[in-house]
Amino acid sequence: MYMKKTLIVANWKMYPLDEDVAVELATKVEQGIKNVEGVEVALCPPFVYLIEIKKHLAKASLGAQNTFWEQEGAYTGEISPAMLKKLGCSYVILGHSERKNFLGETPEMINQKVRAVLAAKLIPVVCIGEKKRLKGAIRAELEWQMKGIFKDIPSSAISKIVLAYEPEWAISSQVHAQPATPQDCKETISFMRDALKGLWDETIAKNMTILYGGSVNSSNIKEFLLEGNAQGALVGFASLEAEEFIKLVGNLIK
Ligand code: PGA
């Protein structure tokens, strides 16, 4: 496997409720990872904390958890990739299963968002994942998602995209959630690379950064990278506690 910098994306979801708590978390993480080499850490807080948190980051990058698919216009309540870029964001998480399930986001909508994010020179972190843990049947579901999300995206833009394999059944907020096994992760990532080969070509399939997400913590992170072939992780719950998250990042270089 080729090696790029390991990427850890912290998805804070709709937490915490208070800005001072958010700033404290970001400051502690920044402090805790400042000497870690070879790992890119991106913090993705709720929109309302982006400006303040940006002031406290040097080593860690900033990301958002969503965006709209136009850069400016009469779209009440939306926030654009161009705005996020101006705030100092580098990453945008797109197509998270919570957005699909609660807000009805479809692959077509995510496709438009991917294009807009790329146009604003931000890095999309595109989530795909199956709903249920069904051996075999997941392939068609993942391929369908990938086809829709990447429709007509030129190969020149593809190398900028990060994919995240996020099986919904493994996300810690789900009842009875369990992390995927490193073997599950390895098999699915290899299947995803095959699907990418079909959609584009071998080079793109080989070079795309693919993360794993779903109940990742400081104890299991390494196995997803070493045995699961993930090149990083999208971390929810374990990114909300500074000590645990710093430990997770630190364990990558041990
Ligand atoms: P989790 O969330 O780490 O809490 O399972 C991951 C995600 O939803 O991105």
Side-chain angles (χ1 to χ4, degrees), residues 97-228:
S97 57
E98 285 149 15
R99 298 197 56 81
K100 292 183 199 148
N101 295 335
F102 294 118
L103 294 147
E105 275 196 13
T106 61
E108 292 70 30
M109 289 157 85
I110 302 162
N111 174 268
Q112 293 192 70
K113 293 183 179 200
V114 172
R115 290 158 185 277
V117 165
L118 289 169
K121 305 227 166 343
L122 293 161
I123 301 170
V125 179
V126 180
C127 304
I128 71 156
E130 74 282 5
K131 275 194 175 304
K132 294 214 165 72
R133 189 175 201 163
L134 296 171
K135 272 273 171 221
I138 70 161
R139 300 194 162 205
E141 193 175 339
L142 296 186
E143 198 160 19
W144 173 80
Q145 290 177 18
M146 284 164 81
K147 274 194 176 142
I149 290 171
F150 294 140
K151 187 164 185 282
D152 297 334
I153 294 190
S155 56
S156 56
I158 282 297
S159 60
K160 319 257 170 15
I161 295 175
V162 171
L163 257 181
Y165 170 49
E166 288 230 321
E168 291 185 37
W169 47 266
I171 293 179
S172 69
S173 54
Q174 300 272 318
V175 191
H176 309 306
Q178 286 178 359
T181 63
Q183 191 57 29
D184 289 332
C185 181
K186 184 176 171 187
E187 281 171 17
T188 309
I189 287 180
S190 132
F191 163 72
M192 284 162 69
R193 290 200 192 280
D194 275 350
L196 290 168
K197 196 157 85 183
L199 291 171
W200 285 284
D201 60 43
E202 180 117 34
T203 314
I204 285 169
K206 216 169 81 194
N207 290 332
M208 184 164 289
T209 299
I210 306 186
L211 313 180
Y212 166 75
S215 298
V216 174
N217 56 42
S218 63
S219 318
N220 64 17
I221 179 72
K222 247 187 141 167
E223 57 194 39
F224 287 113
L225 270 68
L226 294 178
E227 298 162 46

Side-chain angles (χ1 to χ4, degrees), residues 2-9 33-34 36-41 58-61 91 162 207-211 225 230-233 252-253:
Y2 79 108
M3 264 328 279
K4 274 195 218 162
K5 239 181 174 186
T6 300
L7 174 63
I8 303 294
V9 180
I33 64 161
K34 71 171 194 267
V36 175
E37 295 300 331
V39 183
E40 160 93 349
V41 174
K59 177 94 175 179
S61 303
Y91 294 87
V162 171
N207 290 332
M208 184 164 289
T209 299
I210 306 186
L211 313 180
L225 270 68
Q231 286 146 340
L252 291 170
I253 50 164

Side-chain angles (χ1 to χ4, degrees), residues 20 23 27 44 59 149 162 177 195 198:
D20 51 354
V23 170
T27 312
C44 304
K59 177 94 175 179
I149 290 171
V162 171

